[in-house]
Amino acid sequence: MLTQDKLLDMYYRMVLIRAFEDRVHELFTQGKIPGFVHLYAGEEAVAVGVISHLRRGDYITSTHRGHGHCIAMGVDVKGMMAELYGKKTGTCRGKGGSMHIADFEVGMLGANGIVGAGGPLAVGAALAAKYKGGGGVVVCFAGDGAQNQGAVLESLNAAAIWKLPIVFVVEDNQYAISLRSLSSTKLQPRVSTARSVAERAVAFGIPSVTVDGMDVLAVYEAAKAAVERGRAGEGPSLLDCKTYRYYGHFEGDPMVYRSVEEIDEWRKKDPIKLFEEKLLKSGIATQAILSDLRRKAALEVDEAVKFAEGSPYPEPSEAYTDVFTDPYY
Amino acid sequence: MSGVREITFVEALNEALLQEMERDPTVIVMGEDVGVYGGIFGVTKGLLDRFGPDRVVDTPISETAFIGAGVGAAAAGLRPVVELMFVDFFGVCMDQIYNQAAKMRYMFGGKIKIPLTVRTTIGGGVSAAAQHSQVLYSIFAHVPGLKVIVPSTPYDAKGLLISAIRDDNPKMFFEHKLLYGVKGPVPKEPYTIPFGTADVKVEGSDVTVVAVAYMVHEAVKAANELKMNGISVEVIDPRTIVPFDKDAVFKSVKKTGRLVVVDEDYERCGFASWVAALVADECFAYLDAPIKRVTTPTVPIPFSPVLEKEILPNAEKIIKAVKEVVK
Ligand SMILES: Cc1ncc(C[n+]2csc(CCOP(=O)(O)OP(=O)(O)O)c2C)c(N)n1
Ligand SMILES: [Mg+2]
């Protein structure tokens, strides 16, 4: 049973992700954040539902859409915001930006600019976890689009034959940029109405399940079994989470490939609202508690923006450090 | 030529694709988001509506499969133009390019041809960080069997793309992100530009500056400023790296006695080093100063604008290098 504390912690992480992403959207529009930014708003239930099972020593690999994974893993949002601004105090000292936030301290092995690249990295981290013993697991987050990348398919097979402690989490947000996930696989669904890559996992010998990715408790339940399987040394699993991104593929996307009506339909199934309803109905929380948490999240993001804006840029000479462990570049 | 208008680099590329697809039914376009979206930078806009999904194919994110399919389709008689958004992504499908497309004709004793054009974007300056900002054309030029095309103006973009589509070999066609919005005069009707013909952008007598892609614009900016300081710079845009117009560069260096090569690719083992070596071999006796290279230091492209500015070549750095060689 989930305790009240745990449930409220999950809620807080979800609203913190949302507050962070909504703010980044504004800041990007105002021209304060440069580069390519991919927002996670709408998909909060997936990151939080899965990551709520992780403990110190576990790892995740992430994607270009990594802010939600970071926040769910407990990466400091001040450092994240400063990273987005390209400041010296950023998580990666301003060298990485939105697409490359990593924090190995908390087990976040990095957002990634290359679609599918997290698959092999997760296999390696899981190989290390298995070798070291201790029941560590690795979660590999990847989009519906990434499922068609050779690196991901090879990773599924490698994880299966080596019986690795990995949970492959498919974030099927219906699109890979403009390509509908429906038209990037021929497979018919077992559970949902959408076609599903969960079928593929079965062909690799990996148990899989299709999950309502807008329902954090459903994701949590599905992930529980998968994580336990990994910790027990029984091998990989795959969760195919059906979800939706609210903003464009990247900030600035004209979104010619989908309608406003479609976005509105999905917003009606908002994962935060859905969770709120459940928390209120079960008496776990009151409106007052939830609005306090939302206010706290907004404040945390305000602080992060202040911190980022008040931080210095890196020294130009820092462009030449960190290529190797020694000063040579 | 008649019907010359000012259009952007993107529009010029789009027009080249459209006209070639109309002219030759074996020309097809494939890639991620090339259909409904019209290409993430708009280069394939309108093509799906015009030519339908058999000729304008939206692919899944399976680069090995669709770049490789481009190679196979070319071997089997089509003229595919395949797009992969950023040059940084080629790691995932490189075998199909550097072992398959590039080598098939040679290995098979010259019995086949691979009329494949692979289009991609290159370049920094937009805070896109280490995996979306590279140039990397040197890697492709290093491999035997690939033609390497690096347009710098809308006019060249259209003419070189049409030449590429009609050419019977595998080609890498590099489009610099900072050029897409650049406008210039472009004739309405189709035309070609032969590969390996450099364009002298600015005539001068003191120093030869060789630059490609976006760096041509920085070099011209530098030349204009230096002119006011009484230094006469000749700017040469080779337009294609493979084949390379050595003669144009040698001729200019023999006149000026000085060479600066500007190259946004990494400094180590790159395009600039190769040009410098060619000139050192062939024009040593004519040189009045050491050859200078203005390149990107061999570090991953950093995200922070401050750091990125530090490492990318620009007019200011070109001016500094030119002043050093005329000292
Ligand atoms: C190897 C590679 N190919 C293409 C891209 C360009 N690209 C970036 S994100 C993306 C779509 C990814 O779709 P999906 O995996 O569903 O993730 P989502 O963006 O929907 O979260 C593409 C094609 C890339 N970054 N890397
Ligand atoms: Mg997707």
Side-chain angles (χ1 to χ4, degrees), chain A residues 86 94 100 113 148-149 178 320, chain B residues 33 37 62-63 131 303-304 310:
Chain A
H100 305 292
N148 301 308
Q149 182 64 270
S178 68
Y320 308 96
Chain B
D33 306 285
Y37 203 107
S62 308
E63 286 86 1
Q131 297 172 345
F303 166 71
S304 183
E310 165 70 18

Side-chain angles (χ1 to χ4, degrees), chain B residues 6-238:
Chain B
E6 291 273 317
I7 59 172
T8 63
F9 196 87
V10 172
E11 288 163 343
L13 291 167
N14 183 254
E15 191 167 275
L17 286 170
L18 189 114
Q19 291 176 344
E20 284 306 285
M21 290 183 82
E22 275 178 346
R23 191 187 65 87
D24 179 352
T26 67
V27 177
I28 62 160
V29 166
M30 287 197 289
E32 289 155 17
D33 306 285
V34 297
V36 177
Y37 203 107
I40 214 77
F41 295 95
V43 175
T44 55
K45 211 167 167 181
L47 298 182
L48 177 65
D49 286 345
R50 187 81 162 245
F51 300 105
D54 287 345
R55 292 184 71 191
V56 181
V57 184
D58 266 326
T59 63
I61 309 173
S62 308
E63 286 86 1
T64 296
F66 74 78
I67 297 270
V71 183
L78 299 186
R79 278 185 192 273
V81 181
V82 186
E83 172 178 319
L84 179 49
M85 288 174 209
F86 293 80
V87 73
D88 314 68
F89 304 165
F90 279 79
V92 300
C93 56
M94 199 61 171
D95 181 69
Q96 292 296 322
I97 293 173
Y98 81 158
N99 277 322
Q100 311 306 325
K103 294 172 183 159
M104 282 165 76
R105 178 174 173 83
Y106 184 87
M107 293 187 301
F108 303 155
K111 287 186 184 154
I112 59 156
K113 53 185 194 185
I114 310 289
L116 167 72
T117 305
V118 179
R119 295 181 34 252
T120 189
T121 64
I122 59 171
V126 296
S127 297
Q131 297 172 345
H132 287 73
S133 300
Q134 302 175 94
V135 162
L136 299 182
Y137 43 53
S138 303
I139 289 181
F140 296 88
H142 186 67
V143 174
L146 297 172
K147 295 192 179 178
V148 175
I149 303 149
V150 277
S152 68
T153 65
Y155 178 87
D156 290 352
K158 179 172 173 184
L160 289 170
L161 185 53
I162 291 179
S163 295
I165 293 170
R166 297 182 190 179
D167 182 280
D168 284 338
N169 300 283
K171 290 126 316 205
M172 294 296 303
F173 193 95
F174 294 107
E175 302 161 12
H176 198 291
K177 296 173 197 95
L178 295 181
L179 293 176
Y180 281 130
V182 168
K183 280 193 161 183
V186 177
K188 179 97 185 84
E189 68 264 35
Y191 58 95
T192 58
I193 297 172
F195 295 160
T197 55
D199 187 21
V200 179
K201 303 306 261 192
V202 180
E203 285 192 30
S205 52
D206 295 331
V207 184
T208 300
V209 171
V210 173
V212 295
Y214 172 67
M215 284 302 144
V216 172
H217 298 259
E218 292 291 319
V220 169
K221 211 188 294 171
N224 290 338
E225 277 190 42
L226 285 160
K227 200 170 177 181
M228 296 192 283
N229 293 315
I231 301 170
S232 166
V233 175
E234 180 145 297
V235 178
I236 296 187
D237 174 3

